[in-house]
Amino acid sequence: MKILFITSELYPLIKTGGLADVAGSLPQALRDLDNDVRVLLPAYGKIKERLPDAVPVTEMHLLGQPVRVLSTTAPGSEIPLWLLDAPKWFDRPGNPYLQSDGTPWHDNDERFGALCWAGVLLARNQVGLNWQADIVHCNDWQSGLVPALLSPIDERPATVFTIHNLAYQGIFPKSSLSKLELPASLWTPEGLEFHDQLSFIKGGLAYADRINTVSPTYAQEIQTARFGCGLEGLLRHRSDRLSGILNGIDTDKWDPTNDQLIPQNYDAKSLEKKNANKKALQERFGLPAQDKQILMAFIGRLVPQKGVDLILKALPALLKHPFQMVFLGSGSSDYEHSLLYWSRRHPDQIAVHIGYDEALSHLVEAGADMFLMPSKFEPCGLNQMFSQRYGTVPIVHRTGGLADTVEDAIPSQLKAATGISFDLADPGALLEAIKRAWLLYDQPSVWRKLQRSGMAKDFSWHRSAKEYCQLYRQALSDLSPQSSR
Ligand code: ADP
Ligand code: GLC
């Protein structure tokens, strides 16, 4: 199949979260299954400097602006990469969505509206590149208008829309409709309108031939008021087109036997060597290097989704016990300040690194004994999978992808267990789960078994890519005869 994969992030070029990891791995896994995949990404900030071999292949006018498409390959892969080169919209430093003060860029509607229009033209072979997509695979709100724009066209590719996070919807004033040159016919409550505003994500949810999320449990959860962010009705209405496909992880990059970013490689048979990483991690974070002390870790965006407040609320009770904990993350300044406050009060137990540090995240995964992921909701989550691969036992709130990837160590099913999970997103439940983990840690043979079961799991992209191929085939067969390609 010919697949146009549209994304607003791509590891290692531009990343704010897991979408970049997915876009950096899934296209190659699809290509390994003999598909012809092309990726479309905005040419943000310094990307062009990092890809000096990117050459202009076509030009077009989008929303009154002349723009170019540059062609190259995605780093570390054979995947053709098309960069939407529109300096007015994308030649800016820093975060792809936010200004340095944390507020959205004022023209995000135009920026991602233009990305959507470019996707439509490229997919339909309308800009002279001699390539026509069978499938357009859109990801999150930034490419959400593509299925809506393609839907009225008779000869069109099939569309798949992946929800990586329903909480981000791309909501703009009604006036954006004409600014983005969108057909007025799309402005209906069943279409792009959302409480009298323009919703990018509804373009995907209402019009894509197939919708999926990044775990089966999240696909169910988002059909309820608690997780549906106001879109649960629409999602229930389209439930026959909605499914969940678990993300994979890059098992080459995240491989404790061969990871160049950690001081000591190890495998399931040499887990005692993991201690050298623990020591290095303690030193790096300025904690006393005690290998008997339990070392817990957290990595992630410091936003309400990730349950940082649950950890903060559990800390006073936890601190009555001996343990250490490291945090690597950045985000809300409230969370940053609270974590720094605790690290100053308990410098031998709590250490915090505020910032984004890819290399350090490998040392954290390799050096910690346990990994905390008490997310309020988690469409998939990657760190609990990295953790299992590194023999670092995850403690997770049983939601979304965390529920689907971590087997709880309840006494009756210790055999398959790979971590600890808890049901209620509250500090008491988190505390109980941590204490349960500590009890298991004190039984070395049980703990080793947990570590090894996690390390033996298959988190490769190959499995997920096969499911995406199946989804693409379903999307193609959903195209009614009058709108067939
Ligand atoms: P989300 O996409 O919601 O942020 P995921 O678990 O899917 O959550 O993906 C987060 C990705 O970002 C992972 O690869 C994780 O290791 C990485 N990450 C998040 N925060 C940091 C950080 N401060 N330093 C390094 N890597 C980070
Ligand atoms: C989102 C979700 C995360 C998921 C990632 C990649 O950012 O918050 O759970 O793993 O997308 O799909």
Side-chain angles (χ1 to χ4, degrees):
M1 285 175 272
K2 292 196 175 69
I3 302 153
L4 178 62
F5 188 93
I6 310 182
T7 179
S8 57
E9 302 187 20
L10 177 74
Y11 180 86
L13 294 173
I14 178 94
K15 169 166 167 174
T16 72
L19 170 58
D21 297 81
V22 174
S25 294
L26 175 57
Q28 182 66 47
L30 291 166
R31 187 180 160 102
D32 294 343
L33 294 172
D34 289 334
N35 295 291
D36 173 358
V37 191
R38 320 244 161 155
V39 174
L40 173 64
L41 173 80
Y44 303 107
K46 303 250 177 291
I47 286 185
K48 281 182 278 181
E49 287 167 31
R50 290 184 61 188
L51 296 169
D53 61 343
V55 288
V57 285
T58 188
E59 295 177 354
M60 50 187 138
H61 271 77
L62 298 177
L63 311 179
Q65 280 294 313
V67 306
R68 300 189 302 174
V69 174
L70 313 180
S71 175
T72 179
T73 48
S77 78
E78 303 148 324
I79 301 292
L81 171 63
W82 283 328
L83 294 168
L84 180 60
D85 183 23
K88 176 182 181 231
W89 289 314
F90 300 119
D91 217 345
R92 301 174 191 177
N95 187 292
Y97 321 120
L98 308 174
Q99 316 183 82
S100 53
D101 66 2
T103 58
W105 295 109
H106 70 281
D107 53 354
N108 274 349
D109 55 349
E110 283 180 29
R111 300 171 75 226
F112 296 105
L115 177 68
C116 292
W117 275 116
V120 168
L121 295 173
L122 286 162
R124 298 188 63 217
N125 192 21
Q126 289 188 316
V127 281
L129 293 183
N130 195 24
W131 187 86
Q132 160 119 23
D134 301 313
I135 299 285
V136 187
H137 185 162
C138 306
N139 294 277
D140 276 352
W141 71 263
Q142 292 84 356
S143 44
L145 296 179
V146 175
L149 289 169
L150 285 171
S151 69
I153 296 169
D154 281 344
E155 300 262 315
R156 67 166 175 92
T159 51
V160 168
F161 183 76
T162 300
I163 305 165
H164 296 268
N165 196 330
L166 194 64
Y168 302 101
Q169 301 185 354
I171 304 288
F172 300 96
K174 183 177 180 180
S175 55
S176 298
L177 190 80
S178 55
K179 199 161 74 166
L180 303 185
E181 299 173 9
L182 301 174
S185 57
L186 296 176
W187 186 261
T188 64
E190 298 74 34
L192 298 182
E193 182 190 348
F194 188 59
H195 302 293
D196 210 33
Q197 294 190 292
L198 171 68
S199 164
F200 270 52
I201 201 169
K202 280 190 75 189
L205 304 185
Y207 295 98
D209 297 307
R210 286 279 158 168
I211 312 161
N212 81 301
T213 73
V214 285
S215 68
T217 294
Y218 192 59
Q220 294 305 315
E221 288 173 339
I222 56 177
Q223 297 179 53
T224 67
R226 180 165 161 217
F227 294 96
C229 304
L231 292 163
E232 58 275 13
L234 171 57
L235 288 163
R236 276 200 302 272
H237 176 66
R238 298 217 66 205
S239 59
D240 60 330
R241 302 296 177 98
L242 169 63
S243 61
I245 300 180
L246 267 181
N247 287 333
I249 58 173
D250 183 333
T251 47
D252 292 329
K253 188 163 82 82
W254 291 96
D255 176 6
T257 66
N258 194 29
D259 188 333
Q260 302 304 304
L261 298 169
I262 61 175
Q264 175 67 60
N265 292 125
Y266 59 97
D267 62 18
K269 293 203 191 88
S270 58
L271 273 163
E272 68 289 347
K273 291 190 188 163
K274 194 169 171 353
N275 261 337
N277 298 309
K278 180 169 180 176
K279 190 157 179 278
L281 178 58
Q282 287 165 323
E283 277 165 10
R284 176 77 188 267
F285 274 79
L287 292 169
Q290 295 163 347
D291 70 348
K292 295 275 173 294
Q293 191 115 129
I294 290 174
L295 176 54
M296 303 196 292
F298 172 96
I299 303 173
R301 294 180 294 120
L302 299 176
V303 295
Q305 174 190 347
K306 301 293 174 181
V308 193
D309 58 320
L310 302 187
I311 305 181
L312 286 166
K313 286 186 189 132
L315 271 185
L318 275 178
L319 280 159
K320 297 190 182 115
H321 306 270
F323 76 98
Q324 297 176 330
M325 175 135 194
V326 297
F327 292 87
L328 167 59
S330 62
S332 127
S333 57
D334 281 356
Y335 290 143
E336 292 182 357
H337 288 134
S338 303
L339 291 174
L340 290 167
Y341 163 83
W342 285 106
S343 70
R344 278 193 297 268
R345 277 190 63 174
H346 298 270
D348 286 351
Q349 283 187 274
I350 311 280
V352 177
H353 181 102
I354 299 294
Y356 185 90
D357 190 330
E358 194 82 28
L360 186 55
S361 71
H362 284 244
L363 178 61
V364 173
E365 287 291 4
D369 298 305
M370 301 169 189
F371 192 91
L372 291 194
M373 222 160 153
S375 310
K376 304 269 172 57
F377 68 95
E378 195 60 81
C380 179
L382 303 176
N383 279 103
Q384 81 283 8
M385 295 194 264
F386 301 155
S387 298
Q388 287 172 79
R389 203 157 153 75
Y390 279 65
T392 301
V393 175
I395 301 174
V396 303
H397 175 216
R398 194 180 289 118
T399 185
L402 301 174
D404 294 339
T405 54
V406 176
E407 268 67 57
D408 190 18
I410 50 173
S412 58
Q413 54 185 56
L414 277 181
K415 213 161 163 234
T418 63
I420 285 88
S421 45
F422 58 97
D423 274 323
L424 267 186
D426 81 21
L430 170 62
L431 200 60
E432 283 309 308
I434 292 174
K435 288 189 179 161
R436 198 147 60 86
W438 289 355
L439 285 174
L440 294 170
Y441 184 83
D442 284 338
Q443 305 168 53
S445 60
V446 175
W447 194 254
R448 278 281 186 266
K449 178 91 197 49
L450 273 184
Q451 291 179 295
R452 290 194 177 121
S453 301
M455 293 175 92
K457 285 181 83 169
D458 175 12
F459 291 123
S460 71
W461 268 108
H462 182 68
R463 176 187 42 80
S464 312
K466 284 205 286 201
E467 291 185 49
Y468 273 102
C469 288
Q470 177 66 18
L471 188 69
Y472 298 153
R473 280 191 286 272
Q474 287 167 340
L476 283 169
S477 73
D478 290 339
L479 275 179
S480 59
Q482 63 271 36
S483 60
S484 66
R485 292 165 306 124

